[in-house]
Amino acid sequence: MSSLVAAVRRYPLVATTVLLGLIGAVLALGGQTDAVRWLFSGFGLLVAGYETIGMVRRLLGGTLGVDVLAITAIVATVLVGEYVATLIIVLMLTGGAALEDFAVNRAKRELDALLRRAPQIAHRLGAGAGTDTDTGTDTDTDTDTGNGEVEDVPATDVRPGDLLLVRPAEIVPVDGALVSVSAVFDESSLTGESLPVEREAGDAVLSGSINGQAAATIRATATAADSQYQQIIALVEEASASKAPVVRLADRYAVPFTAVSLSIAALAWIVSGDPARFAEVLVVATPCPLLISAPVAFMGGMSRAARNGIIVKGGGVLEMLSRAKTVVFDKTGTLTHGSPTIARVLPEPGFDEDELLVLAASAEQYSSHVLAASVIAAARTRGLELIGSETANEVPAHGVVARLGAREVTVGKLSFIRERATDAVAAPIEGGELAIYIAVDGRFAGSIVASDTLRENAPQTLADLRALGLRDTVMLTGDARPTAEHIAALVGIEQVQADCLPADKVNAVRGLAHRPVIMVGDGVNDAPVLAVADVGIAMGARGATAASESADVVILIDDLTRAARAVAIGQDTIRIALQSIWLGIALSLGLMVLAAFGFIPATAGALLQEFVDLATILNALRAIGGRRDASVQAQIAARKPAAAGALSR
């Protein structure tokens, strides 16, 4: 009963139409046909007046819709006395809007699931709370919190440094670092990984992940607004609020469709001499499928993408994905895993390996580059103690200059080092390796050679994209040409541009002839080129960076094949949207021709148009793609993994 009341409140015009229909049926059984005619006709004219006001508002906003046909059909059926058809047209209009609302909500349920699960409350531990949570499996919160109080506060009130209790099966409210010895979290809503992951003390814990069966303590490292989950929600809200160009294209069909419909109706009236024929044609011309099916298909496509761990920022992005001709890749973190390891340390005379590694790692503490973490990790693995810096300055895409005690240490690319140490020489590297160069007080100190590994599915991803029609493939990287060409050969990329700065990448993408262009990348340096590409795809599985904020598509799973899957979803969605639009147009035109020859009475035509609406909406809902996704998963499971290769960034 409560659901029925909610439906009546949500769709009052539909409820009123149905109620009046029932009243009219009772009156008709009692022989009160005149009362039924006045009741249905009067209500129809009221609805027509209400719709006319909305139509005028849309016209003032610069949009000519096809609702003029529905209004004309209502008035025409009233004038010729087809009052039953009048009520059916009203039901079609009001019920079509309700059906659209229901279908869209059905299509976007995966997107709404993120919003519904947004963490609202955090359990903040008081000053007396103990941080010595010596058991990661103890479900007794007293053991985990010590003697301090637990205060429930809004997640928005949490600040970095706050100590938080996360109870069993609760959602982590903000990004943090684990204080408990160990804990298990379900990160499937963030990464798509179905298996729980185990974290140890000091590991990062993402907001939106679900705690396991034991209470855990974390220390907040970000506010709610800056946390992973809220960033994803922001992307979802941006996606659901957009309107695709193909939908606007469907709106533009309104003018020729309206003109054709009115012409057929007028011609039928003139030839037959019967004004009822005009009403009969317009009844079946009401083009709800034109306005409903495309939005439903796009919401279905975005829902399908979200279910696959892909956030698409709007239906227009799906259209661009479907028409793309060129795909451009960054290398490090995109085609490779982005976690290079140090292969060799090559000091110059006057320096030894440990000293060179300490100097490089100490300077790299102030760098956001992906290789910085590898250098620091290598130094710590050797048990070396890093040096604090008095001043440090990172030059994006070039390197870092740091003052370590009395010495100035510069770490970065060879060209950057040569500006300070003219005696710098290139290190001997093999295919798939990268050298980091170091200068101390203007003297070349040596180099560190790192290597990265190719993503196992990178070659398959390129093959899938070619099969989807993207024939032109490009790599843009800041690496040296030998390294870049080595990687390109492994994955089958045709064009390579190496030694690129961020501005070079932007200019390269702008200069590509075969458009639309997709750019796939990650990291801060890729943000400008992702923004300038027709479709920017960010590999944002490890967090919401500047890349994911500037991209049109964000892949939440650390899986490169999702880039190809995003293109496939875009192509499927556009195909289904256009199929639905043309299905509605074709069926309506066919019914109009039959009605023009007198084969379809007005009342029967109104009922037939309801079936046309239902057929096009059901076809549009195919964009949700459950069966298609199951087929793709089966194909992936049957594939043999491609061979991995070693390569540099």
Side-chain angles (χ1 to χ4, degrees), residues 274-604:
D274 184 1
R277 197 67 57 83
F278 182 82
E280 291 168 355
V281 172
L282 291 187
V283 164
V284 295
T286 308
C288 287
L290 195 65
L291 301 177
I292 294 174
S293 56
V296 170
F298 277 98
M299 289 308 302
M302 288 190 289
S303 172
R304 178 183 171 193
R307 193 170 60 248
N308 281 273
I310 305 165
I311 297 296
V312 177
K313 297 183 183 179
V317 176
L318 289 172
E319 185 183 23
M320 282 293 187
L321 285 170
S322 72
R323 298 191 294 108
K325 297 294 186 295
T326 303
V327 59
V328 182
F329 287 92
D330 174 48
K331 185 175 68 61
T332 305
T334 304
L335 294 172
T336 71
H337 286 287
S339 54
T341 58
I342 302 305
R344 300 184 302 280
V345 179
L346 306 174
E348 288 293 297
F351 298 90
D352 60 32
E353 288 190 12
D354 286 352
E355 180 184 10
L356 187 65
L357 193 55
V358 165
L359 293 173
S362 299
E364 291 279 41
Q365 291 179 100
Y366 307 96
S367 172
S368 60
H369 196 280
V370 65
L371 281 175
S374 301
V375 175
I376 294 170
R380 287 176 174 166
T381 299
R382 296 193 184 193
L384 304 176
E385 186 175 348
L386 303 188
I387 305 169
S389 174
E390 297 176 3
T391 60
N393 178 43
E394 181 176 20
V395 180
H398 288 281
V400 178
V401 180
R403 172 66 63 176
L404 305 178
R407 295 191 286 186
E408 182 184 77
V409 177
T410 306
V411 182
K413 300 171 70 170
L414 180 60
S415 58
F416 185 56
I417 298 300
R418 279 179 172 164
E419 294 176 2
R420 290 158 178 78
T422 56
D423 58 334
V425 294
I429 58 174
E430 300 175 359
E433 291 183 335
L434 172 72
I436 309 163
Y437 298 90
I438 303 98
V440 178
D441 292 332
R443 175 190 169 195
F444 182 50
S447 57
I448 298 173
V449 178
S451 63
D452 197 358
T453 55
L454 180 69
R455 289 182 184 267
E456 293 80 0
N457 52 24
Q460 185 61 55
T461 300
L462 268 295
D464 290 345
L465 288 168
R466 289 191 186 92
L468 291 168
L470 284 83
R471 304 298 182 185
D472 293 344
T473 55
V474 182
M475 177 195 295
L476 301 177
T477 178
D479 283 350
R481 177 161 293 278
T483 299
E485 291 179 344
H486 173 75
I487 302 165
L490 289 176
V491 297
I493 289 180
E494 301 167 351
Q495 305 175 46
V496 177
Q497 293 192 36
D499 298 310
C500 291
L501 297 175
D504 298 328
K505 292 183 179 182
V506 168
N507 293 331
V509 168
R510 283 176 173 164
L512 292 172
H514 295 161
R515 309 193 79 89
V517 174
I518 295 174
M519 173 70 198
V520 187
D522 77 327
V524 175
N525 287 341
D526 292 327
V529 69
L530 288 172
V532 79
D534 297 308
V535 180
I537 300 180
M539 299 288 292
R542 293 187 177 90
T545 64
S548 63
E549 292 169 5
S550 63
D552 303 295
V553 178
V554 180
I555 298 176
L556 302 178
I557 302 171
D558 195 22
D559 180 3
L560 185 61
T561 62
R562 303 295 164 131
R565 194 173 304 183
V567 175
I569 290 172
Q571 292 181 353
D572 285 349
T573 301
I574 298 304
R575 187 187 70 253
I576 292 170
L578 292 176
Q579 281 178 354
S580 300
I581 289 173
W582 287 110
L583 175 64
I585 291 175
L587 290 175
S588 293
L589 287 173
L591 291 175
M592 278 190 278
V593 172
L594 292 175
F597 285 96
F599 294 115
I600 304 178
T603 300

Side-chain angles (χ1 to χ4, degrees), residues 105-116 236 299-300 302-304 306-307 624:
N105 286 330
R106 162 69 178 85
K108 67 176 183 177
R109 64 184 181 184
E110 285 82 10
L111 298 177
D112 290 341
L114 283 171
L115 301 174
R116 290 195 301 268
V236 171
M299 289 308 302
M302 288 190 289
S303 172
R304 178 183 171 193
R307 193 170 60 248
I624 294 174

Side-chain angles (χ1 to χ4, degrees), residues 199-224:
R199 303 297 184 199
E200 298 180 351
D203 287 350
V205 179
L206 298 178
S207 63
S209 55
I210 302 174
N211 190 22
Q213 299 302 310
T217 306
I218 68 170
R219 189 174 300 280
T221 57
T223 63

